[in-house]
Amino acid sequence: MAAPEFANSRMERVLDTAAELLVRWGYQRVTIDEVARHAGIGKGTVYLHFRTKDALFLTVLLRAHRQIVTAMADLMEAEPAHVLPSRLLRSVFLQLAADPVARALYLGDAEVLGRLAHEAEGTLGGLVERREEVLGEHLRLLREARCLRTDLEPDALLYLFGAIGAGFFFLGGTPGSRPELDMETRADLLEHALAAAMQVPDPPTAELERLAPVVAELYRSLIDLIDHEWRRRVR
């Protein structure tokens, strides 16, 4: 059954406020009390929806993640070359960097992202599992089309994708390790690293064009799961 309109509006206000305070103050300083006060509602009302601060910000992350997944699918359909891991993750990296909320969540404090990932494992198990399946299928299709290295097994390619991507995302949020590089340069290096590690030189354009709508639809299937989680939390 659909949630009452007032509940949707209230939830949006809470999430908008939490996102605004995240950008303004940083994750560590934001409390449930402050979110409630700035949203103009009672603290108990926030706790009706979210049992902890981590649960609240996981939902903020979920909302940002929906926009990212949608953008990924749109990119593949508009430019088939974005079906390649290197091109896709470069664009996603720059998109995150350009959005203040997404940047704070994905490229900010690595400890915070780790805490939200732990929270996700406990409450978003189905979505996390399906996301891994989609990525695995994405890479499998590219490998079979000989756009990725065939001397590496699918599990090895999946590991490379995750390890390289996580390295670039986490490095910027680790104290004392932030490189003096602008985001465009970091995105270029990310693209280069993934291409060198996973892809073949000059992947066949015809295969990319054939696979792009198929892989885009795989990622669009995640949006229904994200929306399910969103509705489940609007109570």
Side-chain angles (χ1 to χ4, degrees):
M1 189 171 86
E5 190 61 37
F6 76 87
N8 282 309
S9 174
R10 183 175 61 194
M11 177 73 80
E12 288 280 2
R13 190 161 73 252
V14 169
L15 294 175
D16 287 344
T17 301
E20 179 186 340
L21 293 178
L22 172 72
V23 173
R24 191 190 308 173
W25 293 348
Y27 183 87
Q28 303 296 349
R29 287 187 57 195
V30 180
T31 65
I32 292 287
D33 286 0
E34 289 293 344
V35 171
R37 185 169 69 83
H38 282 78
I41 61 177
K43 180 174 68 173
T45 301
V46 179
Y47 279 114
L48 284 176
H49 299 294
F50 308 104
R51 57 185 175 79
T52 65
K53 186 175 87 167
D54 286 351
L56 166 59
F57 279 96
L58 177 60
T59 309
V60 174
L61 181 68
L62 194 64
R63 189 168 64 164
H65 190 56
R66 188 190 197 283
Q67 296 172 340
I68 294 163
V69 172
T70 301
M72 288 168 64
D74 289 345
L75 277 169
M76 291 179 204
E77 291 176 339
E79 298 180 48
H82 276 91
V83 79
L84 290 169
S86 61
R87 291 288 300 276
L88 182 63
L89 210 55
R90 180 187 190 279
S91 294
V92 169
F93 186 88
L94 289 175
Q95 180 191 356
L96 296 179
D99 182 272
V101 175
R103 180 169 180 164
L105 288 168
Y106 285 93
L107 302 173
D109 190 329
E111 181 184 352
V112 171
L113 188 55
R115 288 174 60 176
L116 296 182
H118 178 75
E119 177 73 22
E121 286 179 2
T123 63
L124 299 179
L127 175 59
V128 172
E129 182 179 348
R130 178 57 186 159
R131 186 180 61 191
E132 289 301 304
E133 290 173 354
V134 165
L135 177 58
E137 180 68 3
H138 174 186
L139 299 183
R140 184 188 69 78
L141 289 170
L142 285 174
R143 184 177 183 273
E144 289 183 352
R146 299 194 176 275
C147 297
L148 302 184
R149 292 173 55 177
T150 56
D151 61 323
L152 293 175
E153 293 300 317
D155 285 349
L157 290 169
L158 188 62
Y159 181 85
L160 272 176
F161 181 86
I164 294 171
F168 276 82
F169 280 78
F170 276 102
L171 186 61
T174 304
S177 66
R178 185 167 306 183
E180 296 299 324
L181 298 174
D182 60 56
M183 286 296 181
E184 192 78 28
T185 301
R186 289 169 62 185
D188 288 343
L189 290 171
L190 173 57
E191 180 180 10
H192 173 76
L194 283 169
M198 299 177 63
Q199 296 168 197
V200 301
D202 301 318
T205 301
E207 288 298 307
L208 299 180
E209 292 174 348
R210 177 179 67 84
L211 289 176
V214 176
V215 177
E217 191 58 33
L218 281 173
Y219 283 94
R220 289 199 190 280
S221 72
L222 293 175
I223 296 173
D224 288 339
L225 286 175
I226 295 171
D227 288 343
H228 170 74
E229 287 298 329
W230 169 260
R231 288 192 296 269
R232 186 171 69 82
R233 290 160 189 271
V234 179
R235 299 186 185 279

